[in-house]
Amino acid sequence: MSALLLTLGAVLGATPAAAATGPYVALGDSYSSGEGAGNYTSSSGSCHRSPNAYPQLWASANSPSSFAFVACSGATTQDVINNQLGSLNGSTSLVTVSAGGNDAGFAGAMQTCVLQGTDACLTAVNNAKSFATNQLPARLNSLYTQIRNRAPNARVVVLGYPHLYKIGGSCSFGISDTSRNAINGAADTIDSVTSARASAYGFAFGDVRGIFTNHEICSDDWWLNSTRLAVHESYHPNAKGHSQGYLPTLFAKD
């Protein structure tokens, strides 16, 4: 597996961070913990950290001198600040983080879209977008300031969120394409805000929307879960989404 991932990094033109073998700290929410990728470590409890998640895959390929995998499903920016920053210090070489979707109430908006129809969905999504535009920047500023202060020498890569749906795809059931398009638009808003704040702090932004194109829900090759009986896994990247979507994006940003 390690040789394969190193080859992938070379193909992408990235220098696998064997060039940056110092301590690596993986922060963030469910999109970093590996919610949806399965095979969760029992010690992670409801944080649902998966060995199939991109941080663990990157660490396995690059053997950093230490690896703190503290991302947790459901985490908001304040949760990251309160509970995940203890491993950061002046020797930290790489930090990855995804955060902001939970602050904007994206999970609740998805539940509304699935259960209450198009009109309610559009209202919930617009509320999430308004929050992301008007309130999320200050929350990201607080988080990114803490990361930079605690890990002043680290390379910081902020990972974004993909579009969930292929519009006009293979799904003939579920929510309407109007709702699906609105949900994708919410991802665009959150990614735009996150990218701008990351840039302001000199952090790299890993935009995964391009690499997930044609691998969304309703495509011919899904890298994301739709509604599942394990409800907490719904609308999250599966193992392929991490290994073929998020991991190459991280390699490209190293």
Side-chain angles (χ1 to χ4, degrees):
M1 173 65 78
S2 294
L4 175 61
L5 295 178
L6 290 169
T7 300
L8 175 60
V11 168
L12 288 168
T15 302
T21 54
Y24 168 33
V25 180
L27 310 170
D29 57 19
S30 55
Y31 276 67
S32 290
S33 73
E35 181 79 86
N39 195 30
Y40 310 110
T41 58
S42 58
S43 61
S44 70
S46 61
C47 286
H48 293 144
R49 297 184 194 106
S50 171
N52 300 319
Y54 76 84
Q56 184 62 66
L57 296 177
W58 189 96
S60 297
N62 291 282
S63 300
S65 59
S66 65
F67 173 45
F69 188 10
V70 293
C72 187
S73 181
T76 63
T77 53
Q78 192 62 48
D79 291 329
V80 177
I81 292 171
N82 291 344
N83 304 316
Q84 298 184 22
L85 303 186
S87 297
L88 298 178
N89 55 53
S91 68
T92 303
S93 178
L94 175 66
V95 177
T96 58
V97 60
S98 62
N102 290 318
D103 296 71
F106 197 66
M110 285 302 307
Q111 184 177 28
T112 297
C113 291
V114 171
L115 298 177
Q116 298 185 31
T118 298
D119 289 345
C121 176
L122 295 182
T123 297
V125 168
N126 284 335
N127 288 340
K129 290 171 68 175
S130 177
F131 185 98
T133 299
N134 296 306
Q135 298 183 56
L136 185 57
R139 296 193 180 200
L140 293 174
N141 287 346
S142 295
L143 173 59
Y144 296 166
T145 296
Q146 289 277 353
I147 292 173
R148 177 48 71 217
N149 288 346
R150 291 169 180 253
N153 303 309
R155 169 76 166 161
V156 180
V157 182
V158 178
L159 281 303
Y161 301 97
H163 287 164
L164 292 184
Y165 290 100
K166 181 175 178 63
I167 307 303
S170 60
C171 297
S172 58
F173 55 88
I175 66 176
S176 68
D177 273 354
T178 298
S179 293
R180 292 169 181 154
N181 193 60
I183 290 164
N184 287 350
D188 288 335
T189 298
I190 295 172
D191 281 345
S192 177
V193 169
T194 304
S195 176
R197 300 324 306 148
S199 178
Y201 281 79
F203 299 166
F205 180 70
D207 189 343
V208 298
R209 287 171 292 180
I211 199 168
F212 269 82
T213 298
N214 294 322
H215 299 289
E216 311 94 332
I217 298 167
C218 302
S219 70
D220 292 331
D221 181 19
W222 298 17
W223 290 358
L224 294 141
N225 299 317
S226 186
T227 306
R228 297 170 64 92
L229 288 178
V231 176
H232 60 87
E233 294 188 329
S234 301
Y235 310 110
H236 287 86
N238 57 28
K240 288 177 70 175
H242 279 271
S243 65
Q244 299 185 42
Y246 273 88
L247 182 64
T249 300
L250 177 54
F251 266 118
K253 291 298 177 181
D254 281 335

